[in-house]
Amino acid sequence: MVAELVRGQNHPLPRTRLEILISAEVPVLVAAALGDEGGRVHDGHGIAHHGTPVLPGIEVPRAAAAEHCLSADLRELSEAVHRVTVLLALPGMAARFGATAAPRATVTDADGTEIVCFTLAGLDAESAVVALELYRRQGGWKVRAVGQGYAEGLTALLADLGLSGASEMAEATHEAGRLGAARAAAPPKARPSEHGPVDYTHPGRQGPPQPQPQPQPQPQPQPQPIAGDAPGWSMEERLYNQVWGMFEDLARSTAALRSAADFAAARLDRELDEALADPRARIGGAGEAARETARAKHDELMGRAQAAHDRDLAQLTAEAEAVEPALPPAYARWDSPVWHGHRMPAELPRAVRLGDLHLPESASLRIPMLVRLPLERGLWVDSGATQAGFTDSAERRRLALEVAVALAARLLAVHPVGEFSVEVIDPAGAGAGPLGALTRTGVLTGPPSRGTAGVAQALESLTRRVDLVRMAIGGGATEALPDGFDTARRLLMVNDFPQGFDDRALTRLRFLADEGPAAGVHLLLVADRADAGEYGPLLDPLWRSLTRLTPSPDDHFADPWVGHAWTFEPSLPPQGGAVLQQVLGVVSAARIKGK
């Protein structure tokens, strides 16, 4: 059965030899871009268009037309090619897709059996569009319905794919399309013939060829998910790419389900309105029959969309079950066995896990939230969050500080010895309990800073440090740093902000938030924004510069790519704290040994 895709939805490809059929109301230019795992095209040789229609594994038509057939043999593609992006563009400068019927793309196997189809609905001022993507996934290939249009035309589309000569390539594609159209429109040259018309009938044939029955393709089983099934030079890099590939697949599958729901609901409303608008349909059973038909179409579409989402979810769940046990400490949950017998790494990992992300349509599937190291932004654990029903202010603050301590411990544990340190500002000493895990093991640079004087002294020291490093980097003289200068990155954890902060301290904190990461100083703030309400908009830039985390599940992570709001769950050690104490003990012992 043919799968009718909606924007964002994907589908496995059971064959590697494919035909991609494009039908449009007007002639269109067609091209195929060969990209890396991120879809980026590194040079002009990765584009098959009307002027250069053949690349290894890909062949496109030689002229603009309303009907196109692209051929693809995915086995012939270079191993460096991870995505084949099918592009459409209108030849005219003032043309736009919204003025024509929606184009349609159909993917078939080499025998002509249809696999998926996709109608590029909803286009308006766009004159170029990404129709489909074919991409590698878990040892096989999948197709994704994209439908991303560009009002700025083919140049903007190619630039978005990372092509440095996008303008020149767009012009070459348009020019090749114009030449191909001119050749196709030219009348054939007449040839003199002395022997009359030529009979092209094969001499061995006694009549028209009889159609041969085509074998029906057998459904291919989904490949068994394995950990590290993603591009990368090391297992850590492959796992990192695989986790974000899972995030991307879940985002797109959910977007497809929501898009189908919106389309089905809008169509149902329209068809019900049309049925009620006809007075004749209100008498007898005609109106009820029309309504039942509309509801049946709605349910059928939603059933197919939900089935596709359930299939994607089952595949991603199986992949998560294979990936999670293989994650290294920087990516692993606190209850993972990798923390038992933990050893300090020799190199900085690619990223660190802050928690988990999930969506309401797939609440059981958690995707690790990984952020690159070194941290590019500070972190803010919001002690004012109330989503989990914590009405007691002291309890919220304690839980927020426990999240911050767990994050600090993880960062200490995944950095090489001597390359990362933590210092704490706790003006009133209110965090003594949760901070005990850090103070007892001696992993801090010193005791937590207390009172207004302690806050000022800690911030002044770090501000001077950032200024010094910035001057050294700016002058290209990092070797000129003072002898004995501690080059380890610093994490400043601030509890109960803004208690103990005056105006000067606030200015310095904002400076550290903005300039600190580039100089090796990072901020981890534990605060309730309402406590700083007296400063009004003065602190708005500070809050915006930090990545907000919550001590309880909260759907606050906005995804501008597809418009989702992801629910974040913090990463906390199991009750009892034995794992946390064990890991911090390893950090402390390694630090003592390294002195």
Side-chain angles (χ1 to χ4, degrees):
M1 184 171 122
V2 184
E4 178 79 35
L5 302 184
V6 296
R7 182 177 284 110
Q9 193 171 2
N10 59 57
H11 192 279
L13 291 170
R15 299 286 186 270
T16 55
R17 292 184 59 200
L18 306 168
E19 303 285 344
I20 302 173
L21 311 177
I22 304 294
S23 60
E25 190 177 54
V26 297
V28 295
L29 302 168
V30 65
L34 308 185
D36 59 17
E37 60 269 21
R40 300 184 68 79
V41 182
H42 295 288
D43 56 55
H45 300 295
I47 299 282
H49 60 89
H50 301 298
T52 55
V54 180
L55 290 176
I58 297 292
E59 183 174 356
V60 302
R62 296 178 180 271
E67 301 289 336
H68 284 292
C69 178
L70 291 74
S71 299
D73 189 344
L74 303 179
R75 295 171 301 180
E76 298 297 321
L77 295 174
S78 163
E79 291 185 358
V81 175
H82 290 267
R83 297 197 187 190
V84 179
T85 305
V86 179
L87 323 173
L88 307 179
L90 293 172
M93 295 297 294
R96 61 186 185 89
F97 278 107
T100 69
R104 185 174 176 83
T106 303
V107 180
T108 76
D109 62 19
D111 297 326
T113 303
E114 294 186 357
I115 302 172
V116 301
C117 53
F118 170 48
T119 301
L120 284 74
L123 298 175
D124 186 11
E126 299 89 344
S127 60
V129 62
V130 175
L132 300 171
E133 283 180 349
L134 314 179
Y135 63 102
R136 297 183 192 266
R137 192 77 171 108
Q138 294 185 359
W141 284 85
K142 300 180 79 171
V143 57
R144 178 181 294 117
V146 182
Q148 174 65 53
Y150 291 79
E152 301 86 354
L154 187 57
T155 298
L157 190 158
L158 296 176
D160 217 20
L161 292 177
L163 196 63
S164 56
S167 179
E168 293 80 2
M169 179 58 66
E171 178 57 33
T173 303
H174 279 287
E175 179 63 22
R178 286 192 291 269
L179 293 176
R183 287 193 298 267
K189 294 182 179 180
R191 283 189 173 181
S193 174
E194 298 178 358
H195 305 287
V198 179
D199 183 3
Y200 288 100
T201 304
H202 192 285
R205 289 201 179 126
Q206 301 300 318
Q210 297 299 317
Q212 298 296 320
Q214 299 292 334
Q216 293 297 317
Q218 297 298 317
Q220 298 294 316
Q222 290 291 336
Q224 187 68 25
I226 59 174
D229 188 11
W233 292 102
S234 65
M235 175 58 78
E236 184 203 347
E237 184 180 1
R238 294 198 297 271
L239 287 168
Y240 174 86
N241 291 332
Q242 187 171 14
V243 166
W244 282 106
M246 293 163 57
F247 175 87
E248 179 180 309
D249 282 353
L250 181 58
R252 282 182 163 138
S253 181
T254 304
L257 179 64
R258 294 178 180 179
S259 177
D262 292 342
F263 174 78
R267 186 176 68 178
L268 176 62
D269 290 342
R270 184 180 68 253
E271 292 178 350
L272 290 177
D273 289 343
E274 291 172 355
L276 293 173
D278 187 355
R280 294 170 297 178
R282 301 176 187 173
I283 303 174
E288 184 59 32
R291 289 190 288 273
E292 287 299 325
T293 299
R295 294 190 185 99
K297 289 167 63 178
H298 171 274
D299 294 344
E300 191 272 337
L301 176 59
M302 283 307 302
R304 285 193 285 116
Q306 187 64 56
H309 180 69
D310 290 345
R311 182 196 66 226
D312 292 342
L313 187 58
Q315 182 178 348
L316 286 169
T317 300
E319 187 173 5
E321 291 172 353
V323 168
E324 188 69 49
L327 294 178
Y331 303 174
R333 289 196 301 249
W334 278 108
D335 58 1
S336 171
V338 298
W339 289 110
H340 302 295
H342 173 65
R343 296 292 181 269
M344 301 298 289
E347 296 181 355
L348 181 69
R350 189 179 186 85
V352 69
R353 186 177 191 158
L354 299 185
D356 293 334
L357 298 171
H358 68 86
L359 291 169
E361 291 86 350
S362 49
S364 61
L365 177 60
R366 264 58 173 175
I367 306 293
M369 179 183 174
L370 305 180
V371 297
R372 295 294 297 268
L373 289 176
L375 295 173
E376 296 179 354
R377 304 180 69 195
L379 305 174
W380 164 32
V381 184
D382 187 357
S383 60
T386 59
Q387 283 71 17
F390 292 99
T391 57
D392 181 74
S393 174
E395 177 68 11
R396 294 199 312 269
R397 295 172 190 272
R398 182 194 61 78
L399 184 58
L401 186 54
E402 287 182 355
V403 171
V405 168
L407 287 171
R410 181 183 291 265
L411 288 167
L412 283 165
V414 302
H415 278 77
V417 178
E419 293 188 12
F420 193 83
S421 60
V422 177
E423 59 182 275
V424 174
I425 290 178
D426 186 24
L435 288 173
L438 300 174
T439 56
R440 285 192 301 270
T441 51
V443 296
L444 299 179
T445 58
S449 300
R450 301 282 174 83
T452 303
V455 171
Q457 183 178 0
L459 293 176
E460 182 181 2
S461 173
L462 288 174
T463 299
R464 285 201 309 267
R465 177 186 182 86
V466 170
D467 278 335
L468 186 62
V469 173
R470 288 175 68 212
M471 286 189 294
I473 294 176
T478 54
E479 71 281 357
L481 289 169
D483 292 338
F485 184 84
D486 182 7
T487 58
R489 290 184 172 272
R490 296 288 183 91
L491 178 72
L492 175 63
M493 183 191 304
V494 180
N495 186 40
D496 267 356
F497 176 80
Q499 185 169 341
F501 281 72
D502 55 21
D503 291 345
R504 185 175 180 81
L506 288 176
T507 300
R508 284 176 168 164
L509 189 71
R510 286 183 54 184
F511 172 78
L512 293 177
D514 294 336
E515 305 296 338
V521 174
H522 309 279
L523 185 62
L524 176 55
L525 196 67
V526 182
D528 180 352
R529 188 169 181 173
D531 291 343
E534 63 182 281
Y535 295 99
L538 176 66
L539 290 182
D540 286 350
L542 173 66
W543 305 117
R544 288 195 298 266
S545 70
L546 304 174
T547 297
R548 176 176 174 259
L549 308 176
T550 54
S552 55
D554 184 18
D555 59 348
H556 69 282
F557 269 111
D559 179 0
W561 181 42
V562 288
H564 296 333
W566 292 79
T567 296
F568 169 80
E569 290 187 9
S571 179
L572 283 169
Q575 290 294 327
V579 172
L580 188 68
Q581 289 294 328
Q582 176 186 339
V583 169
L584 289 174
V586 170
V587 173
S588 178
R591 180 172 296 179
I592 294 172
K593 184 178 179 181
K595 289 184 177 179

